[in-house]
Amino acid sequence: MPNQKTFKILITGAGGMLGSDLAAVLKDDFEVVGLDKRPVTHLTVPYDICDLTHARKTRDAIVSHQPNLVIHAAALTDVDYCEDHHEEAIEQNVGATKNVVDACNDVNAALIFYSTDYVFDGQKKGEYTEEDTPNPISFYGNTKLQAEQYILAQAKQAVIFRITWLFGVWGRCFPKAILRQAADAKKMTVVNDQVGRPTYSWDVAEAMKSVLLKKREFVFDQKPTIFHLGNMGTVNWADFARFILNESNLGSVKIEDISSTQLKRPAPRPLNSVLSLEKLKHELALELPSWQDATRLFLPRLKRELAAQDERSKAQAAEKENTAG
Ligand SMILES: NC(=O)c1ccc[n+]([C@@H]2O[C@H](COP(=O)([O-])OP(=O)(O)OC[C@H]3O[C@@H](n4cnc5c(N)ncnc54)[C@H](OP(=O)(O)O)[C@@H]3O)[C@@H](O)[C@H]2O)c1
């Protein structure tokens, strides 16, 4: 196993919500490069453009970097879009993962892959363990399960982390949607019958750093395995929305609770998304902060990033005007 300084990590989907935080958190301790489908202005590590659905380009990109570890965070994550675009969902979530796994095997790189609570049907009473049998009810969940199965059967060295209800600064997520709606509404409806663990992408990235610094043998020299990962505590979406509004001094915006059947969306969601964190605690000595603490750190960071983005857009507009003038 290479020592830390020469340990090279390639992150796919490096410009996405999780990929961006992985790059920011891991770059100080490891050599980090990224791959993404299109240019990303906020990335702080070198990256190449590569469409992972293209097998030869994916192999060429991974071979040219010779990473020790590939963290595969790229996916088609729009659950409702996947429900209506099966072919594309299979290509992006299954085909691209196969290409990444095959290339990793070729260069003897270990693999970390992110799957989802949506591989379960949500009917279990109690927390889902890694031993429970998946039974996805959405097409997205189905494609992520197919990707898992390919990894378990074919990857030489891999760890699958099933993560859940992810939120972060660089992408579409629930807290951002609630804050956006609260900007022009006094009242909104949110479902109250789905329960899960809101999980901050920054905390997932910190957890990866901890594993790679302290428990690297779990990624290397071992057959593919699955861990569930998430922030501590559980909540339903409506109460999570209330918490976000209260912490943002928007408590006057009212949340009306509704059921999942009232919210007609193309893809069904599991009612119980609560993943057991026991294996994570016992085998990787990992316990993430509570979702409340995570959200309290996330909200001011989001505010700072949005203000910085605003400044950048204004500066770009001013520069354009100057050039035109
Ligand atoms: N978001 C959640 O709530 C959640 C929950 C559980 C598990 N997960 C899993 O966690 C992982 C990270 O999710 P995320 O929310 O960070 O995703 P995300 O924000 O949607 O980012 C995914 C990134 O991958 C890129 N990408 C997609 N297809 C690609 C391709 N063919 N080639 C190269 N790049 C490609 C995307 O580019 P474009 O944006 O240009 O397409 C995007 O930059 C995924 O595996 C997801 O399934 C997410």
Side-chain angles (χ1 to χ4, degrees):
M1 207 183 300
N3 70 35
Q4 196 176 310
K5 279 199 179 127
T6 56
F7 191 82
K8 186 166 183 181
I9 301 174
L10 183 148
I11 301 170
T12 73
M17 185 156 65
L18 179 54
S20 301
D21 281 353
L22 284 166
V25 168
L26 296 174
K27 73 178 172 22
D28 292 338
D29 291 281
F30 306 99
E31 186 184 349
V32 177
V33 293
L35 293 184
D36 213 303
K37 218 159 59 179
R38 50 188 124 242
V40 193
T41 50
H42 63 263
L43 255 188
T44 49
V45 298
Y47 72 97
D48 293 335
I49 303 287
C50 175
D51 182 346
L52 301 169
T53 60
H54 196 291
R56 189 184 49 76
K57 285 184 186 162
T58 304
R59 189 178 182 282
D60 287 352
I62 291 179
V63 167
S64 75
H65 283 294
Q66 293 286 318
N68 302 102
L69 169 69
V70 172
I71 305 187
H72 181 34
L76 182 56
T77 54
D78 186 330
V79 178
D80 289 327
Y81 184 88
C82 288
E83 202 68 19
D84 293 333
H85 300 83
H86 286 193
E87 224 172 277
E88 209 179 316
I90 290 176
E91 198 184 13
Q92 299 283 344
N93 289 341
V94 189
T97 301
K98 286 182 178 176
N99 293 339
V100 170
V101 171
D102 295 349
C104 284
N105 286 345
D106 284 350
V107 297
N108 274 323
L111 173 74
I112 287 179
F113 173 73
Y114 298 103
S115 188
T116 166
D117 50 299
Y118 284 18
V119 297
F120 295 116
D121 60 19
Q123 293 302 313
K124 185 179 176 181
K125 303 272 171 278
E127 301 180 349
Y128 279 99
T129 72
E130 290 81 353
E131 307 303 317
D132 283 319
T133 307
N135 181 31
I137 53 175
S138 64
F139 200 77
Y140 167 76
N142 192 312
T143 59
K144 295 297 285 187
L145 179 61
Q146 287 183 52
E148 281 188 6
Q149 287 165 342
Y150 189 81
I151 292 167
L152 293 174
Q154 301 296 336
K156 287 186 190 158
Q157 312 170 94
V159 180
I160 295 168
F161 287 101
R162 287 193 186 127
I163 52 178
T164 158
W165 286 26
L166 196 68
F167 64 91
V169 166
W170 302 110
R172 291 181 335 132
C173 65
F174 181 80
K176 283 166 97 172
I178 292 297
L179 292 173
R180 207 171 28 248
Q181 281 185 62
D184 11 75
K186 292 263 163 292
K187 199 171 129 185
M188 61 184 95
T189 54
V190 183
V191 295
N192 68 358
D193 55 358
Q194 295 170 28
V195 186
R197 300 185 187 281
T199 295
Y200 185 16
S201 52
W202 190 271
D203 287 336
V204 177
E206 289 283 1
M208 295 303 110
K209 179 165 138 178
S210 170
V211 170
L212 293 174
L213 290 178
K214 296 184 202 146
K215 297 265 180 189
R216 223 186 288 175
E217 69 275 13
F218 273 88
V219 185
F220 283 88
D221 305 326
Q222 102 148 9
K223 282 198 350 220
T225 184
I226 300 177
F227 283 93
H228 290 174
L229 178 87
N231 280 108
M232 297 292 284
T234 65
V235 69
N236 68 57
W237 287 121
D239 286 342
F240 186 32
R242 286 189 187 92
F243 183 85
I244 293 161
L245 293 175
N246 285 334
E247 289 294 321
S248 310
N249 296 320
L250 291 165
S252 60
V253 178
K254 292 285 161 257
I255 301 285
E256 186 192 326
D257 292 36
I258 56 165
S259 69
S260 301
T261 44
Q262 285 172 279
L263 183 75
K264 291 182 178 44
R265 297 179 93 176
R269 269 72 170 169
L271 294 181
N272 175 15
S273 275
V274 182
L275 301 179
S276 165
L277 305 176
E278 287 302 303
K279 184 178 174 192
L280 188 78
K281 185 172 159 188
H282 293 303
E283 294 190 17
L284 294 183
L286 270 179
E287 228 171 320
L288 275 62
S290 70
W291 65 262
Q292 292 95 329
D293 285 349
T295 309
R296 284 193 190 103
L297 288 179
F298 161 76
L299 289 170
R301 182 177 162 226
L302 176 68
K303 211 169 160 183
R304 284 196 301 277
E305 292 294 355
L306 291 177
Q309 272 174 34
D310 209 35
E311 282 304 310
R312 278 197 295 273
S313 316
K314 276 186 198 151
Q316 274 166 5
E319 201 179 309
K320 237 182 189 175
E321 214 165 273
N322 284 343
T323 326

